[in-house]
Amino acid sequence: MPSLRTALLQSSGRPGAVAENLKTLDEAAARAADTGARLLVAPELFLTGYAIGDAVPELAEPADGPGARAVAEIAVRHGLAVLYGYPERDGERIFNASQLIGPDGASLANYRKTHLFGCFEQEWFTPGEQTVVQADLDGIRIGLLICYDVEFPENVRAHALAGTDLLLVPTAQMHPFQFVAESVIPVRAFESQMYVAYVNRTGPEGEFEFVGLSCLAGPDGTVRTRAGRGEELVVGEVDPEFLAASRAANPYLNDRRPGLYGSLG
């Protein structure tokens, strides 16, 4: 099975400017496609911006709203799948969500952040209730989490047990928590034997300072590609043959003793 070339778009776009952010996403998709990438991953709440305050209700939209339709056009135009973050409106509730659109423009998966970080998120968003959301792309089982979710090892292990090969984590990781990008993400990839694409915003935005450092970590705990602190598009390979060999050599999942862990619930 061939590798899945994956592009990580490290950018904060323009907070509050959906049309401008879609233009940035379109340009990144063109560049990613030129490298042979089949998947482009954008950061948390990329469609609208993160630090948008009381504009959240105004900019939130349904999963099949105009933003989704625009992203679908981008995916079809450039022949690759696109994962983007956005505020999802469902009736009176708003979720911090991410959606994976396939190369044919169809929605493959939609995920709602289950662990909300800080006062801003807890004020505006409703936490999601489904931990494991997956889709298949080119023979790779893809799972979705968002930012703070990946810092709970239980979430990643649940994905591992459900067969996730590549975990996509759009994020808005801010100072002084850069150690998550530097250290936690490679460990998560190793301990649960999967690839993890962690894709961050960058620079100042409202009261936040995003640290960049987006990465694709492999199941051996090594970082296959890493962005710096600024706007950047980086590309890495998700190799299913290497993943299978790594899982055979590192039997964490087979050696688990779930009967001992009941008290952790």
Side-chain angles (χ1 to χ4, degrees), residues 51-97:
I52 54 176
D54 57 9
V56 169
E58 173 189 350
L59 294 175
E61 63 174 61
D64 59 354
R69 294 193 294 271
V71 174
E73 291 176 2
I74 291 171
V76 170
R77 180 159 53 249
H78 301 292
L80 78 177
V82 179
L83 185 283
Y84 70 102
Y86 73 108
E88 179 195 354
R89 178 176 292 283
D90 185 356
E92 296 300 313
R93 300 179 300 171
I94 300 174
F95 298 91
N96 183 338

Side-chain angles (χ1 to χ4, degrees), residues 12-262:
S12 289
R14 286 184 56 190
V18 173
E20 288 296 321
N21 295 335
L22 286 168
K23 180 180 178 182
T24 297
L25 189 65
D26 189 30
E27 293 170 350
R31 292 162 55 203
D34 284 345
T35 73
R38 285 282 291 166
L39 172 62
L40 171 65
V41 186
E44 182 176 5
L45 292 175
F46 182 75
L47 186 65
T48 60
Y50 184 90
I52 54 176
D54 57 9
V56 169
E58 173 189 350
L59 294 175
E61 63 174 61
D64 59 354
R69 294 193 294 271
V71 174
E73 291 176 2
I74 291 171
V76 170
R77 180 159 53 249
H78 301 292
L80 78 177
V82 179
L83 185 283
Y84 70 102
Y86 73 108
E88 179 195 354
R89 178 176 292 283
D90 185 356
E92 296 300 313
R93 300 179 300 171
I94 300 174
F95 298 91
N96 183 338
S98 65
Q99 185 159 206
L100 179 63
I101 304 292
D104 62 353
S107 176
L108 299 180
N110 190 73
Y111 172 77
R112 296 166 171 177
K113 189 174 185 177
T114 55
H115 295 72
L116 301 179
F117 178 80
C119 297
F120 166 69
E121 291 188 19
Q122 292 169 12
E123 177 181 0
W124 291 108
F125 298 109
T126 298
E129 295 295 333
Q130 187 173 358
T131 300
V132 177
V133 172
Q134 297 171 308
D136 292 315
L137 178 66
D138 294 355
I140 301 293
R141 178 63 55 87
I142 292 175
L144 309 181
L145 291 177
I146 298 175
C147 197
Y148 195 37
D149 290 331
V150 79
E151 297 176 38
F152 294 82
E154 300 91 342
N155 284 338
V156 184
R157 182 52 55 86
H159 270 277
L161 296 175
T164 293
D165 300 316
L166 168 61
L167 186 62
L168 306 183
V169 189
T171 189
Q173 186 58 261
M174 57 198 71
H175 179 80
F177 304 111
Q178 54 265 28
F179 66 88
V180 174
E182 294 171 336
S183 301
V184 174
I185 297 305
V187 169
R188 288 285 177 273
F190 178 71
E191 69 190 4
S192 281
Q193 287 299 296
M194 62 177 64
Y195 285 88
V196 180
Y198 187 76
V199 187
N200 200 9
R201 307 178 70 82
T202 182
E205 188 177 330
E207 63 184 288
F208 308 110
E209 177 73 29
F210 298 113
V211 300
L213 301 175
S214 299
C215 67
L216 177 66
D220 57 351
T222 64
V223 172
R224 303 312 174 84
T225 188
R226 166 84 73 187
R229 296 298 185 104
E231 302 270 336
E232 195 170 350
L233 183 75
V234 296
V235 179
E237 302 285 345
V238 174
D239 183 347
E241 292 186 3
F242 181 84
L243 177 60
S246 181
R247 286 172 170 172
N250 296 281
Y252 279 140
L253 301 183
N254 290 334
D255 289 349
R256 293 169 62 252
R257 296 181 62 192
L260 300 179
Y261 314 144

